[in-house]
Amino acid sequence: MKRSPLRLLRRPVAAAATAAALLGLLTAIPETQQLPSVTPVAASENSATVFYWTKTKNWSAYKLHWAPDGGSWTTVPGTAMTAACTDWVKLTVPLGSATGLAATFNNGQGVWDNNSGNNYALGTGNITVKDGVVAHSDPCADSGTTPSPSPTGTNSAEVYYSTGTVGWTTTNLHYQPVGGAWTAVPGVGMEAACTGWVKRTVDLGTATGLNATFNNGNGVWDNNNGSNYALASGRSTVKDHKVTSGAADPCAAAVPDTTAPSAPTKAAAAADGVSVVLTWEPSTDNVGVTKYQVTRTGGTKGTLVADTGSTVFSDTGLEERTAYSYTVKAVDAAGNVSAASSAATATTGDKPPVAASGQPLGTDPRKDPIYFVLTARFNDGDSTNNRGGSQDVKSGNAANNDPMFRGDFKGLVKKLDYIKGLGFSAIWITPVVLNRSDYDYHGYHGYDFYKVDPRLESAGASYQDLINAAHAKGMKIYQDVVYNHSSRWGAKGLFTPTVYGVRDSQWSWYYDEKNEGFEYDGLTVETKSGKSYYNGDLWSTAEPAGNTCLNWGKPTGSTSAEGYKIYNCQWPNATSGMFPKVYYHNCWIGNWEGEDSRSCWLHEDLADFNTESAPVQNYLIGAYDKYIDMGVDGFRIDTAVHIPRTTWNRRFLPAIQERVTSKFGAEAAKNFFVFGEVGAFVNDKWNRGSVNHSAQFFTWKERKEYSADDAAASLEMYNYEEQLGTGQQPVSDNAFLKGNSYHTPDHSQFSGMNVIDMRMHMNFGDANNAYSNGKDSDDSYNDATYNVVYVDSHDYGPNKSSERYAGGTDAWAENMALMWTFRGIPTLYYGSEVEFQAGKKIDCGPTCPLATTGRAYFGDRIAGDVTASDFSKVSSASGAVADTLAQPLVKHVQRLNQIRRAVPALQMGQYSTEGISGSMAYKRRYTDAASGVDSFALVTVTGGASYTGIPNGTYKDAVTGDVRTVSDGTLTVAAPGKGDMRVYVLDLGGKNAAPGQVGTAGPYLK
């Protein structure tokens, strides 16, 4: 295929790729077959008249360079366009049997408009391209809209549509009077009504209502998730999928609101360095509070008045050791202002390095030990967003007054000082997107990937507030993300299935009553059945037009556990045919180590995305761009092994890097931490000999070119790498010292994905076993110093145990000593600092109460007040949290974090065991010429060790303060004992002086 040699922007995308993109758009057209049938046009008659807007270009000539779908490009620079009418040129092109074309425009002298490198995907008929926006109309005709059907009666409908969340510049109404015919696609144009609204009045004849969908004239549709909108005659409004019949004119002047909100209460301010986090309880108002006005006094800069949309305000960049006072007022949409809250005061401390709100901290992730929380189970800051779901009683949670969704962002904000007091500077949180399943508190059943789950947010604490509050304390937020699958109910905005449902005496408990205009958000209780998991927008007893699910509504012959008759198409299913292949895979996994683990469903609640499809890729990339823009510091990638490495390397990983770079710069992109869960639950270096299913495999770029089609490429890569086998995989010395010297690592073949160290995790039943297994694999990672290392998690304990680790306090202390000093990033699952739920089953779904599992609620253990003056330093604590902070492992982890923070070699250093005796003994070094840092340390965990061939000089133990002088290259250390260690740091003077004893001795590290 001929390609245009463009170099000013990007060359046109291949026509095949354009066709694939068009296919993705076309599949979004209304699925329920209320669309009119269209008689195919003979292949020889297809054509497109392309109109191009000239007013903002002012070129001397206009050329159209194009290729019909499946055909060849015209010769550069293309065909001249001719004047059409004021500010427009046009060209009619024959398409033959093609149903569209790829197009770019230029001035014939090397200046191009190729849609920012994506080319324009155009269809047939009259098409306009105006400043990057494509629409279907003739701009030179008297009217740009399709006339409405001739009326046969007197009824009419005045339809208002909200454009605030779709962002369209052109909106069409495609409709069908009840009992009548549909308008021709794309429908009739709607006109601007007022800011955020368009409208159209249509004649209905004798009909009393209409079915309606909306679109932007360029293939993007709002068809109410495949159900279409049912509108009555008279005035209706459609906003965010909610229909209001007999609505007030949204553009009419409202009755003046003169009632002020109530004054905010419980204002509290807490200082951290030169930042203050201010919180308060939300105000009430007869209409609704739109913002809060924060007034700050104190310091030398005068009074500050700032607006915020929530009840958490992060005030950064203040003066050191200065008292500040804050009051808060509530403001409603009419501008009514409440009385001020009572004053809250705080005094700042010394200035630490922090990032501005909404920006990642952007520092080397190896400096930051990670605390992992299941947000919904950590701490409850707002009980109004708690939800038990359909399994609340069955699970036993209701009897414990312990709803599955209990913890939230507000609760996490309130306990940031607890986590900082432990010494952690990064928090890994479970997925934040809106979930949808019967038991979805964990976050891995994503439904609307563009929406934060309201069960985690509050009127006073949004996700953005959490990010900003953490950053104000110098702490990072790593967001758990899922690319592999959605909930079984599909993904809103991409595809949601219609399922069979009958509200008979058996199933009325499960199927909600239909409630037009009600939309699932996880939080709102559906009024008719009183449930908060509403599924009535997804089920239908009557077979929907265009149904593809096999044997719709017929009994399967099976029954549920309760003895209820089960029907076909009653639940989403991989092989039922209800999921289009362009969006989802249509098979069940058979072999966890086979290729089908990438292309089939893992579980009935995990609908497997077709991640090799462009519409799916665009949906996910767009969703996660939103959270990058909010300033998160990294992504933990769930089920990374279940997506081919080619797709990660071609699509998702570059998209992350490009977005962070464009938003925050190259340095931030370099330190945006991406770490994947590659579930290799074995004790060997390569997962059952399969390179494609081993964690280290995903840290590398591809080594050869594959087919342009992503699905074909994934199979080619799988076969190629499996045939090469484990012996011909790339190796790296990025984690290893050369003698005693640090060397610049080579990351040129790094994929962009780091990984969780599954091999160490699986072997952490014994620290020495974990250490031996870990270092055995380190030459096969691109850089093992970035490995995320933990003992247990929300999924498994060591050796694929289904219980939280229960090896005892001494063993925990030994494991921690290893994790905090060996290569990689130490990570602790919430509560492990007090052996929370040790030996308890980690997860049993809704078959037992959460309170009896490893996912139990932790908030009771940290109730009370806590203030951290610095990492690992608590200045005050009261209540239950004070008792928790006094526990031996808490003291241990606090000091480990202090020591690691004081010795750069323990954070980012390479390591070696050359010339060293001892079971868990190693030397580490980190050198950075730019900053002048040079750090060299000798470590032994538990046992004695002897080090030979090391640099001469003075060494100081960071644990005891012991000083040794080495003159013959040899240092011998006696066994410190289980749960203890020794860290001898070479004193290089100046900024590289050894710190000596760091912190004070406790039950361990003495």
Side-chain angles (χ1 to χ4, degrees), residues 124-178:
T124 59
N126 294 325
I127 307 167
T128 61
V129 180
K130 181 179 180 180
D131 293 337
V133 177
V134 176
H136 291 261
S137 66
D138 180 351
C140 301
D142 292 337
S143 172
T145 61
T146 304
S148 304
S150 299
T152 58
T154 58
N155 293 337
S156 66
E158 186 179 19
V159 181
Y160 283 82
Y161 183 74
S162 173
T163 60
T165 56
V166 295
W168 297 343
T169 56
T170 300
T171 305
N172 296 314
L173 169 62
H174 177 52
Y175 72 95
Q176 172 202 42
V178 174

Side-chain angles (χ1 to χ4, degrees), residues 240-290:
D240 297 337
H241 299 288
K242 180 178 181 179
V243 174
T244 302
S245 299
D249 185 343
C251 298
V255 176
D257 174 15
T258 59
T259 303
S262 64
T265 59
K266 297 183 180 179
D272 192 291
V274 292
S275 299
V276 171
V277 175
L278 180 71
T279 61
W280 60 93
E281 292 303 313
S283 299
T284 58
D285 185 68
N286 62 318
V287 177
V289 174
T290 57

Side-chain angles (χ1 to χ4, degrees), residues 726-795:
T726 60
Q728 298 186 59
Q729 294 302 308
V731 295
S732 167
D733 63 1
N734 284 338
F736 306 118
L737 293 174
K738 293 185 175 180
N740 293 316
S741 299
Y742 179 88
H743 65 96
T744 302
D746 178 8
H747 293 147
S748 61
Q749 296 306 305
F750 176 50
S751 66
M753 183 191 294
N754 299 289
V755 291
I756 295 168
D757 198 317
M758 282 291 173
R759 194 173 181 197
M760 287 194 73
H761 163 51
M762 284 290 100
N763 287 280
F764 251 122
D766 174 75
N768 190 57
N769 196 35
Y771 167 69
S772 299
N773 277 273
K775 67 178 183 178
D776 178 54
S777 296
D778 283 354
D779 63 341
S780 59
Y781 296 99
N782 181 267
D783 191 342
T785 67
Y786 288 86
N787 284 13
V788 170
V789 182
Y790 57 63
V791 173
D792 65 356
S793 73
H794 60 324
D795 287 326

Side-chain angles (χ1 to χ4, degrees), residues 115 134 147 150 167 713 849 884 890 1004:
N115 195 22
V134 176
S150 299
T884 294
V890 169
Y1004 300 101

Side-chain angles (χ1 to χ4, degrees), residues 16 24 83 112 145 197 277 323 327 364 373 509 532 582 603 677 725 773 974 992-993:
W112 291 78
T145 61
W197 290 92
V277 175
T327 58
D364 193 312
V373 301
W509 64 274
S532 60
V582 69
H603 188 270
E677 177 208 22
N773 277 273
N992 296 311

Side-chain angles (χ1 to χ4, degrees), residues 533-811:
Y533 62 90
Y534 186 71
N535 57 26
D537 56 339
L538 298 176
W539 69 266
S540 173
T541 301
E543 182 172 5
N547 169 58
T548 56
C549 185
L550 304 176
N551 299 314
W552 177 268
K554 294 180 180 179
T556 64
S558 302
T559 59
S560 69
E562 300 87 352
Y564 301 159
K565 183 185 297 185
I566 295 176
Y567 302 88
N568 283 303
C569 311
Q570 192 169 8
W571 292 287
N573 182 288
T575 56
S576 64
M578 69 172 67
F579 285 87
K581 292 182 179 180
V582 69
Y583 300 129
Y584 286 92
H585 292 131
N586 290 174
C587 54
W588 293 106
I589 189 172
N591 179 8
W592 287 89
E593 276 73 46
E595 194 282 330
D596 67 341
S597 70
R598 318 296 175 80
S599 56
C600 296
W601 289 37
L602 310 178
H603 188 270
E604 65 176 6
D605 269 337
L606 309 177
D608 198 76
F609 281 132
N610 179 1
T611 50
E612 287 61 68
S613 166
V616 174
Q617 293 169 356
N618 293 337
Y619 176 83
L620 292 169
I621 289 170
Y624 291 126
D625 280 352
K626 167 182 175 176
Y627 305 105
I628 290 172
D629 292 352
M630 292 172 74
V632 297
D633 300 278
F635 286 159
R636 180 267 188 183
I637 298 178
D638 180 71
T639 49
V641 70
H642 299 296
I643 295 176
R645 189 178 74 176
T646 46
T647 304
W648 286 119
N649 287 347
R650 284 182 173 189
R651 309 300 174 199
F652 297 136
L653 295 173
I656 291 171
Q657 282 291 301
E658 289 170 9
R659 189 67 172 198
V660 181
T661 301
S662 65
K663 190 76 176 178
F664 303 113
E667 187 66 17
K670 173 185 174 184
N671 291 317
F672 188 89
F673 190 43
V674 176
F675 58 105
E677 177 208 22
V678 181
F681 303 112
V682 293
N683 295 330
D684 50 6
K685 184 172 183 176
W686 296 97
N687 186 4
R688 294 184 174 88
S690 171
V691 294
N692 277 274
H693 295 83
S694 300
Q696 57 268 44
F697 182 74
F698 286 78
T699 66
W700 297 94
K701 289 182 177 179
E702 303 305 331
R703 295 188 281 172
K704 67 185 297 290
E705 291 292 326
Y706 301 106
S707 297
D709 178 77
D710 285 351
S714 69
L715 289 170
E716 292 169 8
M717 183 275 295
Y718 182 91
N719 292 326
Y720 175 75
E721 294 290 356
E722 289 298 289
Q723 289 169 9
L724 284 178
T726 60
Q728 298 186 59
Q729 294 302 308
V731 295
S732 167
D733 63 1
N734 284 338
F736 306 118
L737 293 174
K738 293 185 175 180
N740 293 316
S741 299
Y742 179 88
H743 65 96
T744 302
D746 178 8
H747 293 147
S748 61
Q749 296 306 305
F750 176 50
S751 66
M753 183 191 294
N754 299 289
V755 291
I756 295 168
D757 198 317
M758 282 291 173
R759 194 173 181 197
M760 287 194 73
H761 163 51
M762 284 290 100
N763 287 280
F764 251 122
D766 174 75
N768 190 57
N769 196 35
Y771 167 69
S772 299
N773 277 273
K775 67 178 183 178
D776 178 54
S777 296
D778 283 354
D779 63 341
S780 59
Y781 296 99
N782 181 267
D783 191 342
T785 67
Y786 288 86
N787 284 13
V788 170
V789 182
Y790 57 63
V791 173
D792 65 356
S793 73
H794 60 324
D795 287 326
Y796 293 105
N799 300 312
K800 207 175 181 181
S801 166
S802 59
E803 290 83 34
R804 287 196 73 160
Y805 181 68
T809 309
D810 287 352

